[in-house]
Amino acid sequence: MKKFRFPLEKLLEYRDHVEQNEMVALGRIHARRRELLSKLQDVRDLRVHYETDRKHKCEIGAKNSELILIDGYLEQLRQRSEQLQMALFQCDREVERQTAILLEATKNKNALEKLEDQYATAYRREELKENETFIEEFVGNVHSINPPGIG
């Protein structure tokens, strides 16, 4: 009997390739998300630092021009924080979208793998039947050449 060959092997390989590409894409989005979170934390840390600095300068009686300068920088940090939060929100949406795409690709590949298993099981059953038939014919031929009791 011929060696087992799944007739849709190329399609299965393609779907596996698609699944791997979608995993890589999701990994990139997660990396971007981690980067955004890091940047957001840096901006928050800067805001805390400059708010503390401003409070300290108010206590020691700093010039209004210094306080105005710090306030302007704090406003820039607030705006940057909002931009990063918006980018993070969009990134979270991309994660959801890409996760759905990956899930679909995985389902498609799994369906073909299940079909391949069914083909392989049927092939093994057929192979067993052929082997049994061969053995029965072989034993039958041996008995017909040398009938039992003659020897």
Side-chain angles (χ1 to χ4, degrees):
M1 187 166 189
K2 293 181 185 177
K3 183 181 173 195
F4 173 73
R5 185 182 160 306
F6 183 51
L8 300 173
E9 187 64 35
K10 291 292 182 188
L11 182 59
L12 180 58
E13 288 172 8
Y14 170 75
R15 287 189 177 173
D16 184 55
H17 179 73
V18 167
E19 180 188 40
Q20 294 303 318
N21 285 343
E22 299 304 339
M23 279 188 202
V24 168
L26 183 59
R28 285 187 187 126
I29 295 168
H30 277 293
R32 170 100 171 105
R33 186 177 188 286
R34 285 189 300 274
E35 179 186 340
L36 287 170
L37 283 171
S38 176
K39 287 180 179 181
L40 184 59
Q41 187 59 48
D42 290 346
V43 169
R44 287 177 177 164
D45 291 345
L46 275 174
R47 281 184 70 187
V48 168
H49 171 75
Y50 279 96
E51 285 170 351
T52 303
D53 186 45
R54 185 187 188 290
K55 183 178 178 184
H56 175 70
K57 288 188 182 208
C58 282
E59 289 173 355
I60 62 169
K63 295 179 184 176
N64 277 344
S65 60
E66 269 187 82
L67 296 176
I68 290 171
L69 189 62
I70 292 172
D71 286 343
Y73 188 62
L74 285 170
E75 179 59 25
Q76 288 176 359
L77 289 174
R78 185 192 63 74
Q79 289 174 1
R80 179 69 178 141
S81 178
E82 285 179 4
Q83 290 170 348
L84 288 169
Q85 287 173 348
M86 183 59 82
L88 188 60
F89 176 76
Q90 290 171 346
C91 195
D92 286 341
R93 299 289 276 221
E94 282 184 54
V95 166
E96 290 173 12
R97 183 187 61 78
Q98 188 60 37
T99 300
I101 291 170
L102 176 59
L103 181 62
E104 189 63 30
T106 301
K107 282 180 184 178
N108 289 338
K109 186 186 106 181
N110 289 345
L112 270 182
E113 286 175 338
K114 196 174 198 178
L115 185 61
E116 180 182 33
D117 287 344
Q118 291 171 354
Y119 269 76
T121 300
Y123 172 83
R124 284 190 293 277
R125 264 190 254 125
E126 187 63 32
E127 186 177 40
L128 282 173
K129 282 181 188 177
E130 281 188 20
N131 287 341
E132 286 175 6
T133 304
F134 175 77
I135 291 170
E136 287 173 1
E137 289 174 0
F138 181 77
V139 169
N141 287 340
V142 168
H143 283 306
S144 68
I145 294 173
N146 295 326
I150 300 179

